[in-house]
Amino acid sequence: AQTVTQSQPEMSVQEAETVTLSCTYDTSESDYYLFWYKQPPSRQMILVIRQEAYKQQNATENRFSVNFQKAAKSFSLKISDSQLGDAAMYFCAYKRRYSTLTFGKGTMLLVSP
Amino acid sequence: DGGITQSPKYLFRKEGQNVTLSCEQNLNHDAMYWYRQDPGQGLRLIYYSQIVNDFQKGDIAEGYSVSREKKESFPLTVTSAQKNPTAFYLCASSTDGQGETQYFGPGTRLLVL
């Protein structure tokens, strides 16, 4: 079974600074997808970024970017110019084609002024 | 506006009672999912459906039932057989069940009286 590990239960960052959230996963597949979701206090899950494993280029979405290391099975999320609104629980998730999402346990991101 | 709606926002269940959580989407998505979230945990899959009139058990289906009579609707029933139903329940949908991104509703908080 696939597993997703987020080793940082909590991270802190100051406004305007950069923070990186870690995620590793275990799989024997070569065709899969990786996601980062954000869950703010409202508890709605919001997609932050998505990466297809066959793509070598790291995905970016405005201030959010990933460092995808396929051989190391690592998928970290970098948030640049952090804002107070970035404070949330962040979940890493893995999905292989024709299968279902597997989530990590999450990293709580605290942002201070 | 296109999106996923869940109702009610809060639901209280008495001992021995079945309760049904509603999930509706107007995104014309084929696939729909139900997840359970407990404190300190990631999301765990209860049931999913990739097409009308068909659904599959997820990792924690015991004590739950679903139906998929219409493309836009995927209600979840928490039966009396579910001994620990207190949790946050999230519904999601995707274009198909392959690699497409899942989009989430706002969730339902279920509490046992």
Side-chain angles (χ1 to χ4, degrees), chain A residues 33 35 37 39 42-47 50 89 91 95-106, chain B residues 4 33 35 37 40-45 48 50 88 90 97-106 109:
Chain A
Y33 306 81
F35 304 85
Y37 282 92
Q39 189 177 41
S42 67
R43 302 198 73 176
Q44 175 147 14
M45 296 286 282
I46 301 165
L47 176 70
R50 161 194 163 107
M89 183 73 89
F91 290 96
K95 182 185 190 305
R96 63 181 171 89
R97 195 178 291 273
Y98 303 112
S99 188
T100 55
L101 269 176
T102 299
F103 285 87
K105 292 190 174 183
Chain B
I4 303 170
Y33 311 81
Y35 292 91
Q37 186 178 27
Q41 302 284 332
L43 277 64
R44 293 183 291 168
L45 183 66
Y48 64 103
Q50 294 183 316
F88 188 62
L90 284 155
Q98 297 184 36
E100 290 302 317
T101 300
Q102 292 183 20
Y103 296 93
F104 286 81
R109 178 81 170 136

Side-chain angles (χ1 to χ4, degrees), chain A residues 50-94:
Chain A
R50 161 194 163 107
Q51 174 83 43
E52 289 90 346
Y54 64 85
K55 289 186 177 179
Q56 293 186 337
Q57 188 173 8
N58 288 326
T60 62
E61 285 289 340
N62 301 314
R63 298 182 294 107
F64 299 87
S65 62
V66 297
N67 183 5
F68 174 46
Q69 301 288 329
K70 191 171 185 179
K73 299 178 184 176
S74 171
F75 183 60
S76 60
L77 174 69
K78 186 172 84 170
I79 306 174
S80 304
D81 185 26
S82 296
Q83 301 175 359
L84 292 177
D86 295 334
M89 183 73 89
Y90 286 80
F91 290 96
C92 178
Y94 162 96

Side-chain angles (χ1 to χ4, degrees), chain B residues 4-101:
Chain B
I4 303 170
T5 57
Q6 291 187 242
S7 61
K9 188 172 182 179
Y10 296 96
L11 186 57
F12 299 91
R13 194 191 91 162
K14 295 180 181 179
E15 289 287 336
Q17 186 181 41
N18 292 354
V19 292
T20 297
L21 286 61
S22 169
C23 178
E24 304 275 334
Q25 54 97 3
N26 61 3
L27 301 168
N28 200 33
H29 285 174
D30 285 320
M32 297 187 74
Y33 311 81
W34 273 106
Y35 292 91
R36 170 179 171 142
Q37 186 178 27
D38 294 283
Q41 302 284 332
L43 277 64
R44 293 183 291 168
L45 183 66
I46 304 172
Y47 268 98
Y48 64 103
S49 167
Q50 294 183 316
I51 197 169
V52 174
N53 292 323
D54 186 48
F55 46 83
Q56 309 295 328
K57 291 182 179 180
D59 300 320
I60 55 167
E62 185 174 351
Y64 300 97
S65 66
V66 293
S67 63
R68 186 87 187 277
E69 297 176 1
K70 299 186 295 183
K71 186 175 184 177
E72 58 270 23
S73 178
F74 191 41
L76 173 74
T77 296
V78 184
T79 75
S80 57
Q82 172 52 244
K83 297 307 179 187
N84 184 22
T86 296
F88 188 62
Y89 291 85
L90 284 155
C91 177
S93 70
S94 64
T95 307
D96 59 27
Q98 297 184 36
E100 290 302 317
T101 300

